[in-house]
């Protein structure tokens, strides 16, 4: 049989190391789908995963890239399918992930004629993709596919290949040696960029001169755990991780104070306020209000994305390079600090913070389970090698405050985009990436209703492919878009508007049982431990429907006057949950005050 353009694209995908694609079929991509089916019948075909929606395809491809370090690949039909993938591709763009999307298009003669499902897809994807190209000739295929993969990997961004329906079935001979024809290479370019020696020495000089050094570590340092720890040990540095960098540094490192900001820790806030040297490693941390005042700390940054260097803070030395490779070159230039007072202070404050988080988790509210208690108990039961996904919203708060990932564990979420519902496709993608590991998906009820419930159907379809079928879906059921409700109060001084904020209550545990999974309902704090123990004792899929209080405040580590004033104004305007908000906030604040007084008495100083 004559090799077609679709056959050639599949061959090139395999040359680029692709083994799995996330796709949804349609007539605009029909000939390519047919070629995938024929390839599958050979027994050596690409593993085609078909979830319930094209947005899920793109989010899964992004998560798969995050978990494996490979290029994620998603496929969809022309305009409607292509448009649905945009949100997932923006997640890849904003979290610096290599993803290649292949989208169908109407035939060449239809381009620009406003026919059925024909749109200017190159224009549509121009903002999200680092490379977008329509294949209009078989001689163009190799160059376009190779460029898409090479560019996505080097720039850590999504690339888009538009494949018209008639082109998909055209014969695809070897590209000729001819004018206008590029005969390309399917070999990836090296990404282990290392800065020149003189710049490394400049960075070392800044770090060596510091007495209170803090490392802010992001997901761009993934794979460089040992190098970061060695450099921090030499520099006597405390370590903070950005939320997506949470799994880069093991939680049992005593001077690792977890995250910074509204869902971070007080020790992290103190580190940034008191450090004299800040080292940013693979992070594009966006919340400038939590970084040191300009001029109060010298700063060095290492990042593989050059446009992000010096973007968030006035750094003194910017090193363009892979974090791991650059640190390997930098470490011999660092002087070992023998005074560990800074690290010890950081570690002591973190011990006090962990006590505070435990105390907050044990507060009983009476109008549903304490959501902090759910995450606190989950954390103590996480199996070795577990993967935890979190969603946007209050689940991200509780994930940041209470989940501690040990070495070998993984965790992730939609970072800079912070799109709702991503936790569920992330969890399913994690099962494909690590079929031998347990996975936990933490998600709010509002996000779960945004296609998240549908993905239980995908789990039912594919779970038998996973060596370890254990998947725990933890739904925080409070009938509220809770994060937005609290943002209305704290940011805009507005009362909650139930017409917008209420989430229709659904029996999520019953829905799971309908699909043949284990469903457990939790209404009270004293049921949480047994529910989690049962879930982890089960080798299959369990959904825990945790009815939690909608009024537990996601308290930041430092409560500003504006925060307090705005909440007060919102309540005075007739917030429908005024009494419960006051009662539950008072309990949380009282617990915080008691724990911080204990800390003052223990170390003999105040938090300032």
């Amino acid at each position: 049989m004559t090799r077609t353009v679709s056959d050639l694209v599949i061959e090139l995908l395999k040359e680029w190391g692709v083994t799995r694609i996330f796709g949804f079929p349609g007539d605009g991509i029909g000939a390519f789908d047919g070629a995938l089916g024929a390839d599958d019948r050979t027994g050596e075909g690409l593993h085609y995963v078909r979830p319930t929606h094209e947005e899920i395809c793109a989010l899964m491809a992004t998560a798969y890239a995050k978990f494996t370090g490979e290029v994620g690949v998603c496929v969809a039909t022309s305009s409607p399918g292509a448009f649905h993938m945009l949100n997932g591709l923006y997640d890849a763009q904003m979290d610096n992930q290599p993803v290649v999307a292949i989208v169908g298009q109407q035939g060449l003669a239809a381009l620009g004629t406003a026919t059925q499902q024909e749109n200017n897809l190159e224009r549509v994807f121009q903002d999200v993709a680092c490379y977008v190209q329509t294949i209009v000739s078989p001689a163009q295929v190799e160059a376009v596919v190779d460029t898409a993969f090479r560019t996505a990997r080097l720039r850590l961004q999504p690339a888009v290949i538009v494949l018209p329906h008639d082109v998909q079935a055209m014969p695809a001979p070897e590209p000729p040696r001819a004018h206008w024809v590029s005969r390309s290479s399917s070999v990836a370019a090296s990404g282990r960029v290392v800065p020149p020696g003189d710049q490394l020495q400049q960075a070392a000089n800044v770090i060596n001169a510091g007495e209170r050094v803090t490392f802010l570590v992001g997901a761009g340092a993934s794979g460089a755990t040992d190098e970061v720890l060695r450099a921090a040990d030499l520099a006597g540095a405390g370590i903070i991780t950005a939320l997506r960098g949470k799994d880069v540094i093991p939680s049992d490192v005593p001077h690792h104070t977890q995250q910074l900001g509204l869902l971070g820790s007080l020790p992290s806030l103190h580190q940034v306020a008191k450090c004299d040297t800040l080292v940013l490693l693979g992070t594009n941390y966006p919340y400038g209000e939590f970084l040191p005042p300009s001029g109060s700390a010298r700063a060095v940054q290492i990042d593989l994305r050059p446009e992000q260097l010096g973007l968030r803070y006035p750094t003194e030395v910017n090193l363009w390079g892979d974090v791991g490779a650059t640190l390997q070159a930098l470490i011999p230039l660092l002087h070992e600090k023998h005074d560990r007072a800074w690290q010890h202070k950081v570690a002591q404050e973190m011990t006090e913070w962990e006590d505070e988080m435990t105390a907050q988790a044990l507060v009983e509210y009476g109008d549903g389970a304490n959501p902090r208690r759910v995450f606190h108990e989950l954390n103590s039961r996480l199996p070795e090698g577990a993967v935890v996904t979190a969603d946007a919203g209050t689940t991200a708060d509780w994930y940041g405050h209470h989940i501690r990932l040990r070495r070998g564990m993984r965790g992730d979420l939609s970072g800079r985009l912070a799109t709702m519902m991503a936790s569920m496709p992330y969890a399913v993608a994690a099962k494909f990436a690590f079929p031998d590991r347990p996975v936990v998906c933490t998600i709010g009820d509002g996000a779960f209703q945004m296609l998240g419930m549908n993905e239980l159907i995908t789990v039912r379809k594919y779970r038998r492919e996973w060596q370890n079928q254990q998947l725990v879906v933890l739904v925080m059921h409070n009938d509220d878009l809770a994060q937005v409700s609290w943002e209305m109060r704290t940011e805009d001084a507005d009362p909650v508007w139930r017409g917008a904020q209420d989430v229709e209550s659904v029996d999520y545990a019953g829905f799971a049982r309908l699909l043949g999974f284990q469903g457990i309902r939790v209404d009270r704090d004293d049921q949480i431990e047994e529910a989690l123990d049962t879930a982890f004792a089960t080798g299959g899929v369990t959904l825990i429907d945790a009815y939690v209080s909608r009024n537990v405040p996601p308290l930041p580590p430092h409560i500003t006057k504006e925060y307090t004033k705005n909440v007060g104004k919102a309540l005075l305007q007739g917030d429908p949950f005024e009494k419960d908000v006051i009662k539950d906030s008072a309990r949380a604040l009282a617990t915080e005050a008691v724990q911080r007084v204990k800390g003052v008495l223990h170390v003999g100083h105040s938090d300032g």
Side-chain angles (χ1 to χ4, degrees), residues 80-156:
F83 297 159
H84 282 163
M85 289 205 301
L86 277 168
N87 193 57
L89 294 180
Y90 271 106
D91 189 39
Q93 182 209 63
M94 297 176 74
D95 279 354
N96 305 322
Q97 295 304 311
V99 170
V100 171
I102 301 172
V103 297
Q105 175 61 289
Q106 301 309 298
L108 290 175
L111 299 184
T113 66
T115 193
Q116 177 81 357
Q117 292 191 344
E118 185 272 326
N119 290 93
N120 189 333
L121 294 181
E122 287 195 8
R123 183 182 299 166
V124 168
F125 287 106
Q126 201 67 50
D127 181 64
V128 72
C130 63
Y131 176 80
V132 53
Q133 185 61 54
T134 302
I135 295 177
V136 298
S137 165
Q140 186 191 10
V141 175
E142 291 188 9
V144 170
V145 174
D146 289 341
T147 303
F149 274 86
R150 188 179 301 109
T151 306
R153 287 189 61 165
L154 275 179
R155 297 191 180 179
L156 301 175

Side-chain angles (χ1 to χ4, degrees), residues 93-96 155-157 220 280 282-285 301-313 315 318 416:
Q93 182 209 63
M94 297 176 74
D95 279 354
N96 305 322
R155 297 191 180 179
L156 301 175
Q157 294 284 277
L280 300 112
T283 180
N284 186 29
Y285 182 79
Q301 186 171 0
I302 304 174
D303 208 291
L304 196 54
R305 294 291 306 279
E307 66 273 22
Q308 294 179 359
L309 289 167
L311 177 64
R312 302 299 184 193
Y313 187 79
T315 45
N318 290 317
R416 196 155 61 92

